[in-house]
């Protein structure tokens, strides 16, 4: 028969707690997942584009729970994480700006604030920023002003080229004349000019209310931002990612020869083992029970532990 102490030990594990960050017009919300035993480091997981919540999901199509799985895997490696609902999403819904007033720099400001709060909550000198997809660019923008509360960067499935270049690749399958209209709209926005009457079929991407945000985002060059940063950097990219390619990871690595680059064979954008064919690849986006691909969490954890000890 198990003793009470032994039974308790078997049940012990990571501890999750809801946390908030003071902000205007309302607090931001997230989850602190602390490992059992000593915490060797803490990281803030920055979500990708769109209405992505702290677990890495977007209802109804994306239910991969990538960020929850990553946090749980890192906790098993002794690393605490704060994963967040960004402004306007989930429990941070009340903190959302009027869409016409949102700028990319707002997310970078929030990332710096979360890093300081994560460090405070865990009694660590600084926090790592783990940026996934667009969150990788948020992380790069966050460190441009210098911040001693940010230990370094982990960039996962992040673009290595300006967003306009990547978007044009993603929109290349559109039929003409819609593709030409999309490319023309991007050219105008890149030049800092709004598009008065975008095609109805492209409203989700180019609606007038989101154009000021796009104008603040499109000029950013991830490789240039990385070249200006001198802290430790990990770049992780899957070879079957149908949203961002290996060419992006290589562009980032070229901008920072000291960065650690890991290419995960057969791993897709949501960091799961997936085939290259589109249907099979996208099926993993809707499966929260499918674990992260082998090596992903372990490589990230090893990098953080190694550099946290320096």
């Amino acid at each position: 028969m198990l003793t009470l102490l032994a039974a308790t030990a078997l049940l012990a594990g990571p501890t999750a707690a809801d946390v908030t960050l003071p902000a205007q017009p309302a607090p931001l919300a997230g989850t602190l997942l602390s490992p059992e035993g000593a915490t060797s480091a803490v990281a803030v997981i920055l979500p990708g584009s769109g209405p992505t919540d702290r677990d890495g999901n977007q209802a109804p199509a994306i239910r991969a729970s990538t960020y929850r799985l990553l946090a749980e895997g890192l906790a098993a490696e002794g690393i605490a994480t704060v994963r967040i609902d960004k402004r306007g999403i989930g429990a941070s819904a009340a903190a959302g700006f009027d869409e016409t007033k949102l700028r990319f720099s707002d997310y970078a400001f929030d990332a710096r604030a979360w890093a300081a709060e994560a460090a405070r909550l865990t009694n660590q000198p600084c926090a790592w920023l783990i940026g996934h997809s667009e969150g990788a660019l948020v992380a790069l923008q966050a460190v441009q002003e210098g911040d001693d509360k940010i230990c370094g960067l982990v960039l996962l499935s992040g673009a290595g080229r300006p967003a306009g270049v990547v978007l044009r690749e993603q929109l290349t399958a559109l039929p003409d004349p819609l593709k030409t209209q999309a490319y023309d709209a991007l050219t105008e926005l890149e030049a800092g000019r709004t598009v008065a009457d975008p095609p109805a079929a492209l409203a989700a991407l180019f609606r007038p209310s989101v154009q000021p945000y796009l104008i603040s985002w499109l000029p950013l060059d991830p490789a240039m931002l990385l070249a200006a940063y001198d802290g430790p950097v990990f770049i992780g990219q899957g070879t079957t990612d149908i949203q961002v390619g290996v060419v992006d990871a290589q562009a980032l690595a070229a901008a920072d020869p000291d960065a650690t680059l890991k290419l995960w064979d057969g791993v897709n954008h949501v960091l799961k083992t997936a085939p290259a064919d589109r249907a099979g690849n996208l099926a993993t986006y809707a499966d929260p029970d499918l674990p992260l691909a082998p090596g992903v969490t372990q490589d990230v954890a090893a990098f953080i532990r190694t550099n946290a000890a320096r």
Side-chain angles (χ1 to χ4, degrees), residues 281-296:
N281 197 300
L282 290 177
T284 70
Y285 285 52
D287 188 353
D289 296 322
L290 183 66
L292 297 188
V296 169

Side-chain angles (χ1 to χ4, degrees), residues 58-76:
Q58 290 184 24
I62 300 178
R63 304 188 302 278
S65 293
T66 295
Y67 308 154
R68 174 182 60 80
L69 293 169
L70 179 60
E72 291 171 353
L74 290 175

Side-chain angles (χ1 to χ4, degrees), residues 1-288:
M1 178 180 295
L2 288 173
T3 66
L4 179 59
L5 181 61
T8 301
L10 286 174
L11 293 173
T15 302
D18 289 334
V19 293
T20 58
L21 178 70
Q24 294 297 327
L28 301 173
T31 297
L32 169 64
L33 190 65
S34 301
E36 180 186 3
T39 297
S40 60
V42 63
V44 178
I45 301 175
L46 302 175
S49 61
T52 307
D53 67 18
R54 71 185 74 182
D55 288 342
N57 299 329
Q58 290 184 24
I62 300 178
R63 304 188 302 278
S65 293
T66 295
Y67 308 154
R68 174 182 60 80
L69 293 169
L70 179 60
E72 291 171 353
L74 290 175
E77 299 273 354
I79 297 169
T81 55
V82 174
R83 60 188 195 271
I84 64 172
D85 290 334
K86 61 183 180 181
R87 288 181 179 272
I89 306 302
S92 298
F97 293 136
D98 175 341
E99 188 172 63
T100 63
K101 298 177 181 176
L102 181 66
R103 302 294 183 270
F104 195 86
S105 58
D106 295 321
Y107 291 137
F109 178 87
D110 292 342
R112 290 193 295 270
W114 273 118
E117 180 65 4
R120 185 190 71 81
L121 289 169
T122 56
N123 295 314
Q124 295 292 314
C126 55
W128 295 81
L129 293 183
I130 300 178
H132 175 253
S133 191
E134 188 182 75
L137 185 59
V138 173
L140 285 166
Q141 180 77 341
V143 296
Q144 292 308 299
E145 298 178 11
D147 193 324
D148 61 4
K149 290 300 181 182
I150 298 174
C151 308
L153 304 179
V154 175
L155 310 176
L156 304 177
S157 307
R161 298 163 294 161
V165 176
V166 179
L167 282 172
R168 285 180 176 86
E169 285 186 359
Q170 294 176 347
L171 296 170
T172 191
L174 288 176
D176 281 322
L178 195 59
K179 180 171 72 173
T180 298
Q181 292 171 328
Y183 284 9
D184 288 346
L186 281 170
T187 299
E188 288 297 294
L189 293 167
E190 286 168 333
R193 297 186 292 265
T194 58
V195 180
D197 191 20
L202 300 174
L205 180 58
F206 296 124
R207 60 191 179 277
S209 60
V210 81
Q211 289 183 29
Y213 174 80
L214 295 176
I215 288 172
S216 74
W217 170 50
L218 288 168
L220 299 175
D221 185 329
M224 289 182 63
L225 293 175
L226 181 51
Y229 177 62
D230 62 1
V233 176
F234 177 93
I235 302 163
Q237 176 64 45
T239 64
T240 54
D241 188 333
I242 58 176
Q243 294 181 243
V244 175
V246 170
V247 64
D248 289 285
Q250 292 171 335
L252 290 172
D256 182 1
D258 293 328
T260 297
L261 172 64
K262 288 286 186 178
L263 299 179
W264 295 305
D265 190 43
V267 175
N268 70 356
H269 193 69
V270 292
L271 306 179
K272 300 194 176 188
T273 301
D277 76 274
R278 187 172 184 84
N281 197 300
L282 290 177
T284 70
Y285 285 52
D287 188 353

